[in-house]
Amino acid sequence: MLKVGVLGAGHLGKIHLRLLNQSDKYELIGFYDPDEINAKKVAAEFGYTHYDNINNLMDAVDVVDIVTPTLSHFDCAKKAIEKGKHIFIEKPITNTLEEAEELLELSKKHNVKGQVGHVERFNPAFLAVKDKIENPMFIETHRLAEFNPRGTDVPVVLDLMIHDIDAILSVVPSEVEKINASGVSVISQSPDIANARIQFKNGCVANLTSSRISLKNMRKSRFFQRDAYISVDFLEKKVEVVKMKDAPENPGDFDMILQNAEGEKKQIYFENPEIDVNNAILDELETFADAINNDTTPIVSLEQGTNALRVALQIIESFEN
């Protein structure tokens, strides 16, 4: 079992603490939170060991789980890496691209592994169809949330849209060529609603919409590719896979047949991939333990987290142009 310590005991930090405590791949050593009142409350309520010194906690563990506000990610991660500790770091990886790139270099220098908490990669609906998404040419995503002051310290792109950016980058086998975007601030000082159009060098286009002031929650992505349409509902954990193949010579009475302008006939059929219910946060933490123990690349590496941040920051930059 890997010894792990958690930095940050806020809303998400408490979830990480609970899951690490019940995992058989980790031994939870304790946590650090700079808010003394909150730290004592969490320790008293759940019985986790509270460290009042961040260095003492880091020295006692193999893995540091960073669940602090984004602005402090870099300092916490740098300190941990320089002590030779593996790091799990919540998304976005850091506040700036320079910070993320420095962490990448440091992790290589100190030979430690890092994973970024892009939890939607472990969403059971996405896992059920990920292997079916092959060279998509058009992608549309909607990630809408009811207002919650907890995320407003960063633009909606870094708070919500970055989930979809990371998922898209994981399935499109091409580099980004061009980005056009617009964002509007309604309640916060930073944009609350954003739309981005990402064009890839292979011709794929992704259209992303995010809002944190919606009346209802929605987290849907649609992938269009040659002879297939794949829809993923990250919130309801449902998928739809519609495929086309050449129509049979003698179609059955219930076969759905389409004919295009050139006279080609295609049969439409539906696939129902099995969705394995899981706890996505527990899965991301435990697969990181596997990557450390087996010396393999984490599923969401620091490099991938950096790429997602790079695109997110390009979108934000595009607002101002």
Side-chain angles (χ1 to χ4, degrees):
M1 289 171 82
L2 292 163
K3 293 179 177 177
V4 64
V6 177
L7 304 185
H11 172 74
L12 190 55
K14 282 191 279 196
I15 294 172
H16 278 230
L17 282 163
R18 175 172 57 81
L19 293 173
L20 289 167
N21 196 40
Q22 70 186 45
S23 169
D24 57 7
K25 299 196 178 190
Y26 290 101
E27 179 190 349
L28 178 61
I29 300 301
F31 74 96
Y32 170 80
D33 191 300
D35 182 336
E36 195 73 23
I37 295 168
N38 181 56
K40 285 180 176 169
K41 187 180 167 194
V42 170
E45 190 175 342
F46 302 103
Y48 309 131
T49 304
H50 162 230
Y51 281 69
D52 57 9
N53 182 295
I54 194 170
N55 289 304
N56 292 347
L57 176 60
M58 286 188 182
D59 289 340
V61 301
D62 309 305
V63 181
V64 176
D65 181 12
I66 301 164
V67 202
T68 60
T70 305
L71 289 172
S72 61
H73 281 187
F74 174 72
D75 290 338
C76 293
K78 184 179 180 185
K79 195 184 283 267
I81 291 170
E82 286 176 341
K83 286 178 176 285
K85 310 300 177 181
H86 302 292
I87 58 161
F88 183 96
I89 187 166
E90 258 312 314
K91 63 87 200 162
I93 179 171
T94 50
N95 195 45
T96 70
L97 196 55
E98 292 72 26
E99 289 175 345
E101 286 170 344
E102 189 177 333
L103 289 187
L104 259 179
E105 289 307 310
L106 281 169
S107 67
K108 288 171 188 166
K109 179 183 169 185
H110 292 275
N111 196 28
V112 298
K113 293 190 185 296
Q115 179 160 318
V116 184
H118 284 288
V119 71
E120 291 291 39
R121 290 268 212 109
F122 298 84
N123 187 300
F126 185 65
L127 291 175
V129 295
K130 189 177 187 295
D131 292 342
K132 298 179 187 299
I133 302 170
E134 296 168 357
N135 208 25
M137 295 315 290
F138 183 73
I139 301 168
E140 191 168 34
T141 73
H142 287 88
R143 186 167 292 262
L144 316 177
E146 294 171 12
F147 184 71
N148 179 351
R150 202 163 50 82
T152 55
D153 56 329
V154 293
V156 69
V157 175
L158 291 175
D159 182 28
L160 297 179
M161 191 184 280
I162 198 163
H163 282 295
D164 297 314
I165 294 168
D166 172 69
I168 287 168
L169 293 179
S170 76
V171 296
V172 178
S174 178
E175 290 177 22
V176 172
E177 185 173 54
K178 189 181 176 190
I179 291 174
N180 296 99
S182 56
V184 180
S185 302
V186 180
I187 295 175
S188 321
Q189 296 300 311
S190 59
D192 296 302
I193 302 174
N195 176 261
R197 186 177 190 271
I198 304 173
Q199 209 168 308
F200 292 88
K201 287 183 178 174
N202 71 346
C204 175
V205 171
N207 194 2
L208 298 81
T209 302
S210 288
S211 165
R212 59 181 173 206
I213 50 166
S214 295
L215 295 177
K216 63 173 186 175
N217 294 321
M218 179 195 284
R219 304 198 318 246
K220 284 185 178 176
S221 294
R222 300 172 180 87
F223 301 87
F224 298 84
Q225 61 198 41
R226 185 79 186 153
D227 292 338
Y229 159 76
I230 297 164
S231 170
V232 182
D233 189 328
F234 290 92
L235 190 61
E236 299 293 333
K237 298 178 176 52
K238 292 178 181 173
V239 295
E240 237 183 343
V241 179
V242 183
K243 289 195 165 183
M244 288 197 294
K245 62 183 178 183
D246 291 333
E249 285 289 319
N250 300 302
D253 291 342
F254 299 104
D255 288 347
M256 292 176 68
I257 308 295
L258 279 184
Q259 185 171 330
N260 64 16
E262 289 74 36
E264 291 176 324
K265 289 182 180 178
K266 294 276 186 180
Q267 179 182 353
I268 294 177
Y269 65 102
F270 297 86
E271 281 186 5
N272 295 304
E274 198 173 315
I275 296 174
D276 296 322
V277 178
N278 71 341
N279 183 312
I281 296 176
L282 181 62
D283 270 14
E284 66 178 353
L285 291 165
E286 292 198 333
T287 59
F288 183 48
D290 294 339
I292 294 167
N293 290 326
N294 303 326
D295 195 20
T296 54
T297 303
I299 290 175
V300 187
S301 64
L302 296 180
E303 196 165 358
Q304 290 176 325
T306 300
N307 289 339
L309 178 65
R310 181 181 290 110
V311 172
L313 293 174
Q314 286 173 331
I315 288 169
I316 293 166
E317 207 178 293
S318 188
F319 294 164
E320 292 146 20
N321 296 338

